[in-house]
Amino acid sequence: MNLADSGLPSTNPYAHSYPRGPFTVVEVTGEIDIATAQALAEHLSAATARAEPDVLVDLRRVAFFDCSGLRVLCRADTRARERGGRLRVVSDGPRVHRLLRAARLLSRFPPLADLPEPPESTHPRDRPAVPPPSRRESGSEPRPRS
């Protein structure tokens, strides 16, 4: 799937989106403030546009994040929930944790330390083929007579 097929916007200096299994990852970089929050909002709007979105907002490369960024996160989270999905924050830095705690949003956005692994596929065609047991393993091969 290419970027045009995914419905995700083009990369900008502050956000980049990409599919990862069932998730849409929005990787955020630089400083998110009143002047740059719209660049992030564009990506989060696209990521939450489909039914049951599962969005991961990766804030590990953010140098600065203020209330403008929090407002954008809250709007996107509300939109994801209205569509039966969810939005989660990935952050391993204390600055984002302190901001979420101060804004009383830590329970709404409990930060994940890393991106979760996509779940294994349950569709039969996506599972590796397992050869049938050999005749010897199945016990159906006749034994030689002595």
Side-chain angles (χ1 to χ4, degrees):
M1 176 186 327
N2 65 33
L3 192 62
D5 294 339
S6 69
L8 299 173
S10 298
T11 299
N12 64 48
Y14 305 100
H16 166 70
S17 298
Y18 59 93
R20 179 183 166 138
F23 311 120
T24 300
V25 178
V26 179
E27 189 176 280
V28 187
T29 58
E31 297 184 1
I32 303 300
D33 56 22
I34 194 164
T36 60
Q38 186 55 40
L40 173 58
E42 177 184 333
H43 281 262
L44 292 176
S45 291
T48 58
R50 65 181 177 89
E52 299 180 14
D54 199 348
V55 181
L56 299 168
V57 184
D58 189 350
L59 299 176
R60 292 177 293 175
R61 291 176 185 82
V62 169
F64 179 80
F65 201 84
D66 74 2
C67 61
S68 301
L70 288 179
R71 184 174 55 250
V72 170
L73 278 181
C74 288
R75 284 187 195 148
D77 178 57
T78 298
R79 186 173 185 197
R81 289 176 190 215
E82 287 171 350
R83 294 171 190 238
R86 64 183 172 175
L87 181 141
R88 294 178 286 168
V89 169
V90 179
S91 173
D92 55 3
R95 279 183 269 163
V96 171
H97 293 207
R98 279 194 303 266
L99 177 63
L100 291 171
R101 189 176 303 109
R104 298 183 188 254
L105 292 172
L106 199 54
S107 62
R108 185 172 182 178
F109 300 111
L112 303 171
D114 204 353
L115 294 174
E117 288 298 317
E120 293 290 323
S121 174
T122 57
H123 194 282
R125 76 166 183 249
D126 295 336
R127 286 184 282 201
V130 177
S134 69
R135 296 183 90 195
R136 178 168 282 157
E137 291 172 343
S138 67
S140 61
E141 189 173 304
R143 291 185 174 177
R145 291 188 169 193
S146 37

